[in-house]
Amino acid sequence: MSSFQFTNEILSIYKSMTRKSEELYKRAIKTNPGGVHSSFRWFHPYPFFVDKGDGPYIWDVDGNRYIDFIMGYGALIAGHSPREIIESIRGYLENGTLLTMPYELQIKLVEELVKRYPMMMGFRISNTGTEAVMHAIKMARIYTGREKIIKVEGTYHGSYDPVKVSEFVRPSQWGSDERPKSVVAPGIPKFYEEDVVVVQFNDIESLEKIVEEYKDEVAAMILEPVMMNNVGFIKPMEGYLKKVEKLLKENGILMILDEVKTGFRMGYGGATEYFGLKPDIVVLAKALGGGVPISAVGFTKEVSQVIYPNGRYAFSGTYNGNPLVVSAAYANLTKILTRDRHSELFRLGDYFAGGVMDAIEDLNLELTISYIGAAGAIHFMDHEPRNFRDVVLNYNLRGYRESWIRLFIKKVLLRGPIDGEPYFVSLAHKKDVLDEAITRIYDTLKELRNEGFI
Ligand code: PMP
């Protein structure tokens, strides 16, 4: 994880805009390192503190209103505080916050998920993406009777130990292009470097060799269909995902598709539908709940056999399927994210990306944009990246970071305050809001160009 370092001039503007945030920060750090509850929210000199969100906007405690494209790191697919979700939670609140035993709405939610992921026999509900990834990996190990996992270099899948291997690596650590080294993150036992085999995204030839070498030991490959952490946004090359799927199937290795960011964003049936895939296990979170902590693991009929009472895997959690989040997710899927609204989301995303591309062209900049529908990233490099290494080696990091703070000052939160987050357009980002954001982005890019940052 790296944090931004800004010039004194920019810092003084930031500080003058965020005086109350600074006061809260000083108080917060007396009892909590960095004052944040997820480390990726901290940045130098201190994070801004927020007051409320509504639609496409978020207000900080100093009363500044920002056009928000962080959107809960992708969760807020319908913007901040969507009425349908709030009313649904209110409606169920009086019945109890944790009913423990099963109830009908859980069945309805899972039926809705199966409708969108018809290759799945069913889903189990959990709370966060991290947990869902953990369940998915353990289920794959039991199903196959093998322990190793294949993972893509530079991908983030949450905080479970094996996926912390080569989550972020530096050139001095990463080994050859064909056989990247497995490198554990701080706090993760070294033996995971043996258990997790790493491959580069979009490199089918290396994957073929790795599968050939380890096929009898590998339970599953976990991957994001589109890389949306650490690198902004990297699209799979034409046919790549289908080739991965075929190769894994031929070798009895399960495909775990991590749709935490792509699910309900790339379309009605997520990236699975968008790319025409048939994963064995799919992991959903973020936009599933539209802003509440819920995740789900989907599995085929065969894989479902490992879950207790059918099999040995105890998929458990006190808060799994609690009515607050289940009611929110059900309202989100049935009242907001209908097929038509997905088309609308794509139109808004295309409109925004088109405006940004026009700005890049008009200003004659050597920047690129990668996007699919309502998520994407401006790349501070002259080509669309193909994998994590491409980004690390070729990015104009100084220009990229400077763009973040300049946009903040213009009250646009284009992405999270950590390197490599995409932007997220929501259904609440109507065209007038997007026009305003595009104008501010244009002005910022012009400033950066005139001052030699890009
Ligand atoms: N997988 C992916 C692809 C993610 O983007 C994230 C979160 N950014 C996770 C897993 C972990 O999800 P959570 O933060 O809900 O634990």
Side-chain angles (χ1 to χ4, degrees), residues 10 22 47 53 122 146 151 171 247 284 326 330 336 345 376 388 449:
I10 290 291
E22 187 169 13
R146 306 181 199 137
K151 147 175 211 292
L247 180 65
L284 303 170
V326 168
Y330 189 66
I336 302 175
L345 188 65
F388 173 76
R449 183 195 67 183

Side-chain angles (χ1 to χ4, degrees), residues 360-376:
I360 291 172
E361 211 178 293
D362 194 68
L363 292 165
N364 205 11
L365 303 172
E366 284 205 337
L367 306 181
T368 53
I369 176 167
S370 303
Y371 78 102
I372 296 175

Side-chain angles (χ1 to χ4, degrees), residues 113-120 123 259 263-264 269-270 272 282 284:
L113 294 175
V114 172
K115 214 157 82 186
R116 290 162 186 253
Y117 288 86
M119 73 295 298
M120 295 291 143
F123 285 79
E259 284 229 50
F264 312 102
T272 298
V282 68
L284 303 170

